[in-house]
Amino acid sequence: MAIIEVLPRRLRERIEQLGAIGRDPAGGLTRLPFAPAHVEALQRSAQMMREAGLDAGVDEFGNLIGRRAGRRDAALLAGSHLDTVPQGGIFDGALGVVAAIECAQVLHDAGRPLQHSLVVMAFADEEGHAFGVGTMSSRALVGELGRSRLAQLRDGTGRSVDEYLRARAHGLPAARVPAEVDAYVELHIEQGPVLEQMGRTVAAVESITGILRAPVVIEGRAAHAGTTSMPGRADALVGAADLVLAVRELALAERGRAVGTIGRVHVQPGATNVIPGRVDLTVELRSPEAKVLETLRGAVEDRAHKIAGLHGLKMAWGTWDHSPPVPLDPRVREAVVGAIERCGHPPLTLPSWAGHDAGVLSRYVPAGMIFVVSTGGLSHSPDERTPWDAVETGAQVLLETLLLLDEAPGMNRRLPLAYTTR
Ligand code: GLV
Ligand code: MN
Ligand code: MN
């Protein structure tokens, strides 16, 4: 059979087109889920899907779905997400969506049928910054976040997920992910330095890290910054600063088995001459090992309790949002490794320290991922880069993976979809 090849020029044009939506004057891209820039990216991606011969629509959780029928009922899913972190880069998420559309496009243009239906996914909220819940849209899809939890989640503007979803600002038809899924495959940038350090372009992903996130409110006493003596203060920001250092120290003590970050801090009242009375922050801990993650959580909470006592503060912890570590499916990994070799690259597998929708789906259906190199290991930054030839390689590996999986025997697995019954 003739070799089908992805088109590098179209991949680049489409990634750059999406990369122009949500430009932040402060740098990079800010495309928070359901915000106008996200809706625009969704509409633009839907147009690309239609150009690729896919039926495009949006499901009740805000996920964009492009579908092409196959001979079997079972589907192969491929994609990633369209949201970004504040001031993020143009590849995180968009690469996997554009590359999956490209695979559909070249199959369509070559008139090449598949056994499976091909479903391109663009998840709405993977980053979890806006509503505090990582991989929110894929977790909602499989019922891991119930309707009542979704109704409670609010972003910085005070709007709930439900309000955004009800508004259906995208104007696209309704669509649903099919339940019968033989595999989900996601192409993504590595977002770390390993491939570049090894002088490699592409790898299969073997596992996805566990992530714990909790909001914390620290309350002290706002008071005059001149007239209040140093010993007489209850400075919430001093407690927060100690907590930042404690998270760093305790994660470092795990010697490469864990990382910990406090990346969101809001100080009130936030005035030069007022002692901070309240700090809202989020603690995030990661490890590929469930036990390490649990131990670290306990150690951080213990230390936080001591810090609060030391500075005369109240520290209230919200519910920990937990994404457990997950191994990815060995058969999908084998297909990815086979595809990497077909594309003339040496086989390699790596773990992922970033969270991905593939981790959620892999709890129900066989899922796998392809990583391509990140220049300087940088991501979640306006300086995120991946060389265009690596983009092409990644997309071609995705296509070969889908073709290999299309030939594999059916896996008979179902997604526990949380759609309302019709
Ligand atoms: C997503 O990029 C995450 O790992 O937080
Ligand atoms: Mn991502
Ligand atoms: Mn990301």
Side-chain angles (χ1 to χ4, degrees):
M1 200 161 310
I3 293 173
I4 303 176
E5 287 183 342
V6 299
L7 272 193
R9 182 183 40 78
R10 187 167 49 209
L11 278 165
R12 178 172 181 164
E13 269 171 19
R14 286 178 169 171
I15 290 171
E16 286 179 340
Q17 275 172 24
L18 289 181
I21 302 173
R23 284 261 147 225
D24 191 322
L29 273 192
T30 298
R31 215 158 54 210
L32 301 185
F34 314 120
H38 181 256
V39 172
E40 193 184 334
L42 195 92
Q43 289 163 332
R44 183 69 195 92
S45 304
Q47 192 184 328
M48 294 175 194
M49 287 177 171
R50 289 189 294 266
E51 286 162 20
L54 300 165
D55 292 327
V58 177
D59 74 4
E60 57 195 83
F61 302 112
N63 301 309
L64 174 65
I65 299 163
R67 187 166 180 178
R68 161 194 209 247
R71 288 197 281 262
R72 289 194 213 156
D73 284 341
L76 293 177
L77 267 49
S80 193
H81 59 98
L82 282 177
D83 63 317
T84 71
V85 292
Q87 296 171 43
I90 69 169
F91 295 97
D92 179 0
L95 168 65
V97 174
V98 169
I101 294 172
E102 180 63 20
C103 293
Q105 176 109 45
V106 291
L107 291 168
H108 173 74
D109 293 350
R112 169 85 181 261
L114 293 183
Q115 310 275 352
H116 292 82
S117 57
L118 180 60
V119 177
V120 176
M121 296 297 307
F123 289 102
D125 182 352
E126 185 273 349
E127 299 290 359
H129 166 76
F131 298 95
V133 176
T135 55
M136 184 181 83
S137 307
S138 51
R139 287 164 73 187
L141 176 71
V142 295
E144 289 185 10
L145 291 174
R147 300 269 163 188
S148 56
R149 181 95 193 274
L150 278 183
Q152 284 162 5
L153 294 174
R154 271 158 218 285
D155 66 6
T157 71
R159 282 188 89 183
S160 71
V161 179
D162 266 9
E163 280 171 68
Y164 283 112
L165 292 174
R166 273 200 305 271
R168 290 182 60 79
H170 48 75
L172 291 161
R176 288 182 167 206
V177 177
E180 205 180 317
V181 172
D182 271 351
Y184 171 73
V185 192
E186 181 166 348
L187 168 64
H188 207 282
I189 52 170
E190 181 204 339
Q191 309 185 274
V194 181
L195 281 170
E196 191 178 64
Q197 283 166 2
M198 294 178 76
R200 297 290 194 88
T201 302
V202 64
V205 181
E206 63 200 22
S207 60
I208 296 182
T209 188
I211 306 178
L212 278 169
R213 286 180 184 159
V216 182
V217 178
I218 304 178
E219 281 183 295
R221 200 172 45 254
H224 196 292
T227 59
T228 317
S229 70
M230 293 309 283
R233 298 177 177 212
D235 184 331
L237 186 56
V238 169
D242 269 2
L243 188 59
V244 169
L245 294 177
V247 165
R248 173 184 157 77
E249 179 200 317
L250 294 167
L252 268 171
E254 292 297 337
R255 297 177 177 279
R257 297 189 305 171
V259 292
T261 307
I262 294 180
R264 183 191 70 93
V265 179
H266 181 62
V267 182
Q268 289 180 59
T272 315
N273 55 354
V274 182
I275 296 164
R278 174 178 167 133
V279 171
D280 290 73
L281 55 82
T282 307
V283 175
E284 195 206 74
L285 310 173
R286 299 185 183 215
S287 173
E289 297 171 55
K291 250 185 108 202
V292 171
L293 202 53
E294 264 320 299
T295 310
L296 183 58
R297 179 224 298 242
V300 168
E301 281 178 338
D302 278 359
R303 189 69 79 80
H305 189 69
K306 289 192 184 110
I307 291 168
L310 184 68
H311 298 294
L313 304 166
K314 274 203 279 188
M315 227 184 255
W317 287 71
T319 313
W320 284 97
D321 181 55
H322 187 200
S323 299
V326 273
L328 293 177
D329 185 79
R331 284 162 301 178
V332 180
R333 190 169 65 224
E334 236 171 73
V336 173
V337 169
I340 288 174
E341 289 180 305
R342 269 196 195 182
C343 292
H345 289 262
L348 177 67
T349 58
L350 292 180
S352 172
W353 282 84
H356 297 287
D357 297 301
V360 176
L361 296 198
S362 72
R363 293 198 267 276
Y364 310 95
V365 296
M369 288 191 76
I370 303 156
F371 271 174
V372 286
V373 62
S374 289
T375 306
L378 259 189
S379 181
H380 285 188
S381 151
D383 296 327
E384 175 186 280
R385 301 275 180 280
T386 285
W388 291 108
D389 57 352
V391 166
E392 178 191 351
T393 301
Q396 190 67 36
V397 169
L398 177 62
L399 176 61
E400 299 294 339
T401 303
L402 293 170
L403 291 171
L404 284 168
L405 290 169
D406 192 46
E407 299 295 318
M411 304 207 193
N412 241 340
R413 301 279 289 278
R414 293 180 73 80
L415 283 172
L417 299 171
Y419 293 136
T420 42
T421 45
R422 275 188 298 213

